[in-house]
Amino acid sequence: MKIVALVVVLLAVFGVAAASATGRGEPGRPAAVLARGELRVCSTGDYRPFTYRDPAGRWSGIDVDLAGDLAHRLGVRPTLVQTTWAQLAHDVGSRCDLAMGGISVTAERARLATYSTSYQRDGKTPITRCADVARFGTPEQIDRPEVRVVVNPGGTNEKYVRTQLRRATVVPYPDNNTIFGELLAGRADLMITDASETRWQARQHPQLCAVHPDHPFTDDEKAYLLPRNPGPLLDYVNGWLRAIREDGTYAAVTQRWFG
């Protein structure tokens, strides 16, 4: 019995020590990232307010701030790696440790990579010129040959449009940073994107209005994307997501951008 008691004490001591070493019992830090001294984060840089890379190469956005927080807690420097929506799931693991930047959860990406726990619910909804809001409240109103729907190639916005709209005129536009200018210039009638983006863009462009962002056409989740076999980094990221929700970091960062 004395031996058993001693083992229990030793396990308790070592358990407390391990928890203290990683901070309140958070998962152990991933050795590969620590050895490199760098957290490589893939992002498209074209999806405000989550991520944006300006012409001078400066990054900003919600997930840029959060990438910095994650790297700081790991004790390494963050490095942003630009990718595209089409290449996102392929670049994770080869060019970067994880991908961040308003990434929607899809079955296609899940086959190629691994998602963290989700951190936001969202959904697809239109944004259009304010005078036209009443014209585009339902998919049936939108799915007409005379309606021009602008899309950015390679992401979930294009997938939704091409699978759900059969008759509308699809207008591809390659630059997601300037795509809303097509609506302002009258070269397209609307764009269907995540409700969070429509709210933010409507604040930047008073001529544009989000169409029922509180009741989008779809119910989606956002999460971070990691390699197919992420190792301990997945547990660390999930633990970090829990921590930033509990300590107010997530709320503070999103408040700065969404208002």
Side-chain angles (χ1 to χ4, degrees):
M1 292 299 292
K2 290 183 179 180
I3 294 176
V4 172
L6 178 61
V7 170
V8 170
V9 170
L10 289 173
L11 287 173
V13 170
F14 282 115
V16 170
S20 299
T22 55
R24 295 183 61 194
E26 70 184 10
R29 293 170 172 80
V33 173
L34 293 179
R36 195 188 313 119
E38 174 188 46
L39 181 70
R40 301 169 304 176
V41 180
C42 277
S43 194
T44 60
D46 65 354
Y47 187 28
R48 290 178 280 187
F50 295 98
T51 174
Y52 174 58
R53 186 173 187 261
D54 70 19
R58 295 182 293 263
W59 289 85
S60 61
I62 291 171
D63 280 326
V64 175
D65 291 348
L66 291 176
D69 183 83
L70 174 59
H72 175 74
R73 297 189 193 213
L74 279 165
V76 299
R77 67 183 181 278
T79 297
L80 276 295
V81 179
Q82 189 157 26
T83 184
T84 65
W85 290 108
Q87 281 296 118
L88 189 67
H90 299 279
D91 283 345
V92 171
S94 60
R95 300 182 62 216
C96 52
D97 302 300
L98 78 162
M100 303 174 68
I103 302 168
S104 297
V105 175
T106 69
E108 291 83 357
R109 289 174 184 153
R111 284 196 290 268
L112 298 170
T114 302
Y115 279 106
S116 70
T117 54
S118 65
Y119 64 90
Q120 181 180 326
R121 300 203 74 85
D122 214 335
K124 303 299 182 190
T125 203
I127 182 170
T128 185
R129 293 178 293 276
C130 293
D132 294 332
V133 166
R135 294 176 55 199
F136 304 126
T138 68
E140 292 74 23
Q141 288 178 298
I142 295 169
D143 198 16
R144 298 174 179 176
E146 66 272 18
V147 177
R148 299 162 299 169
V149 183
V150 67
V151 299
N152 54 308
T156 56
N157 294 339
E158 182 185 31
K159 179 185 176 183
Y160 176 86
V161 168
R162 298 210 180 265
T163 57
Q164 300 301 317
L165 304 181
R166 304 297 183 184
R167 303 173 64 224
T169 299
V170 179
V171 182
Y173 186 81
D175 184 0
N176 206 37
N177 282 318
T178 59
I179 195 169
F180 295 93
E182 298 301 286
L183 304 179
L184 295 170
R187 290 186 289 268
D189 297 306
L190 70 134
M191 179 179 178
I192 296 178
T193 185
D194 292 331
S196 54
E197 185 179 30
T198 66
R199 290 188 182 97
W200 192 85
Q201 290 291 346
R203 282 198 291 273
Q204 314 313 307
H205 306 289
Q207 309 96 311
L208 300 181
C209 287
V211 182
H212 51 58
D214 293 329
H215 303 283
F217 295 150
T218 64
D219 182 18
D220 305 318
E221 293 180 310
K222 292 191 182 302
Y224 299 131
L225 202 61
L226 292 90
R228 194 77 189 98
N229 298 299
L233 183 59
L234 176 62
D235 287 339
Y236 191 90
V237 169
N238 286 339
W240 166 76
L241 279 169
R242 288 192 298 271
I244 63 174
R245 285 186 174 281
E246 292 172 1
D247 68 18
T249 299
Y250 181 82
V253 169
T254 54
Q255 175 67 23
R256 285 201 300 270
W257 288 94
F258 282 122

